[in-house]
Amino acid sequence: MKCISNKTIQKYIDNEISASKKSSIEKHLSECKICSEKMNNMKSLSVNAKQAIGSLNINNIEIPTFNYSKAQNKQRKIKYIIYSLSAACIIFFIFIFVDKKQEPCTETYSIVQSITWEADANQPFTNQNFAIEINDGKGNNTIIYLE
Amino acid sequence: MNRFENIYTENYRLIFNVVQKIIGNTEDASDIVQETFIVLYQALQKNTRIDYPRSWLYRVAVNRSIDYLKKQNRNGNIEQAKNIATEEHSFETTEQQKIVQQALMKLKPEEKTLAVLYSEGLSYKEMAEISGIKFTSIGKTLARTLKKLGNELKKLNYEMY
């Protein structure tokens, strides 16, 4: 058997190991001086640590009366927060909905450029007779003449 | 006496000691323990099923203690926390106890929690459930934590047997 890991030794010390594994560990410990020494050190460390931390226990603790009103107030406070958040969400959604309804309707206009008569390239732009035809998408055409 | 009052009386001292050992401060420990029992009270009011109240209390109290320590660290109050641990005890402390608190302060919140739960004599399964550390990692983490704690205690000349 290979030397035992710290994790396995710790589990062995704390009796958190299966019976079959325990016997093979014990066999190895009886044969390996290094592991046996390591196990003894870790065991003493565990005992010392438990004792040291245990020494911080306070024995004369007075149990205070439980503050029921504080517990109930806290519960009410949580309810209040939940209700407030719900109301805020509802207002927010209403706002979005109403805001969308009030949006102005957008209509599509298309401008079709058509030359009604031929332009005279020798004349300035202001002297050309151009017409702009506006189609509002519903079949209504408006023609604006540019002079 | 109702169920809550029974649980409160039976477990208050136990939970208080665990919390004060983790955070190293008795005054804030009182607040954390009160908050823990408020959470239990509210859970019982809502008819939440709690089969093992002690484990449940341990878990809530430990989580709140870890949050407290992390908040202290975030706010850069480590030195302040150390001072509280060593000087401002409302209960009398011996030199040896101060050394243990100082050594514990050197551990990470999760390591400290594990060390404290171990000293309470809990099983690996219970420690895993309360601390949130994987059951399979408990042995390894514990061995490493105890070694670290042992080294700190030695540095501070704690009398080991």
Side-chain angles (χ1 to χ4, degrees), chain A residues 7 10-11 14 16 45-46 48 50-53 55-58 61 63-64 66 68 71-72 74-75, chain B residues 4-5 8 12-13 16-17 20-21 41-42 91 97 100 115 118-119 124 136 140 146 150 158 161:
Chain A
K7 175 189 171 179
Q10 191 63 51
K11 284 170 88 175
D14 297 324
E16 291 273 354
L45 185 61
S46 294
N48 273 302
K50 274 187 180 177
Q51 215 161 27
I53 299 170
S55 75
L56 298 177
N57 274 334
I58 300 167
I61 302 165
I63 303 175
F66 183 70
Y68 284 96
Q72 281 153 356
K74 215 167 183 179
Q75 218 164 7
Chain B
F4 173 77
E5 279 174 15
Y8 182 73
Y12 185 90
R13 288 191 178 97
F16 182 90
N17 266 323
Q20 65 91 5
K21 282 189 280 187
Y41 175 78
Q42 289 169 347
F91 291 85
Q97 284 172 323
V100 178
Y118 181 65
S119 76
Y124 280 20
T136 48
K140 196 178 171 183
L146 293 178
Y158 181 79
Y161 301 102

Side-chain angles (χ1 to χ4, degrees), chain B:
Chain B
M1 212 187 255
N2 64 27
R3 189 183 176 211
F4 173 77
E5 279 174 15
N6 274 331
I7 298 171
Y8 182 73
T9 320
E10 281 170 17
N11 295 284
Y12 185 90
R13 288 191 178 97
L14 184 86
I15 300 298
F16 182 90
N17 266 323
V18 168
V19 173
Q20 65 91 5
K21 282 189 280 187
I22 294 174
I23 70 165
N25 173 351
T26 50
E27 274 179 36
D28 289 338
S30 298
D31 293 339
I32 292 176
V33 176
Q34 275 300 319
E35 279 173 25
T36 303
F37 278 101
I38 286 175
V39 176
L40 174 74
Y41 175 78
Q42 289 169 347
L44 291 176
Q45 289 287 101
K46 285 178 197 163
N47 293 324
T48 309
R49 193 178 155 179
I50 300 169
D51 293 330
Y52 304 102
R54 185 166 287 182
S55 301
W56 195 94
L57 285 168
Y58 264 131
R59 197 163 50 241
V60 175
V62 159
N63 284 336
R64 282 177 180 251
S65 304
I66 291 174
D67 287 345
Y68 171 91
L69 290 174
K70 286 184 176 169
K71 202 175 165 188
Q72 290 271 331
N73 289 354
R74 259 201 311 275
N75 296 341
N77 292 346
I78 306 166
E79 287 305 317
Q80 192 189 336
K82 278 179 194 166
N83 291 339
I84 288 168
T86 52
E87 287 167 19
E88 293 179 18
H89 257 293
S90 50
F91 291 85
E92 272 185 37
T93 49
T94 63
E95 274 307 307
Q96 292 289 296
Q97 284 172 323
K98 282 178 186 171
I99 289 173
V100 178
Q101 276 290 13
Q102 274 179 302
L104 279 172
M105 282 293 163
K106 298 274 180 186
L107 302 180
K108 289 178 189 162
E110 288 80 6
E111 293 173 335
K112 204 192 296 181
T113 301
L114 192 65
V116 170
L117 293 176
Y118 181 65
S119 76
E120 292 289 307
L122 299 184
S123 70
Y124 280 20
K125 190 171 174 272
E126 286 170 312
M127 284 194 275
E129 278 171 5
I130 295 163
S131 67
I133 298 170
K134 272 189 202 167
F135 174 69
T136 48
S137 306
I138 292 284
K140 196 178 171 183
T141 316
L142 195 57
R144 197 183 55 224
T145 303
L146 293 178
K147 195 177 174 186
K148 200 171 164 183
L149 180 65
N151 289 340
E152 291 298 333
L153 288 171
K154 268 182 203 163
K155 268 191 224 170
L156 295 162
N157 298 322
Y158 181 79
E159 287 167 22
M160 299 246 235
Y161 301 102

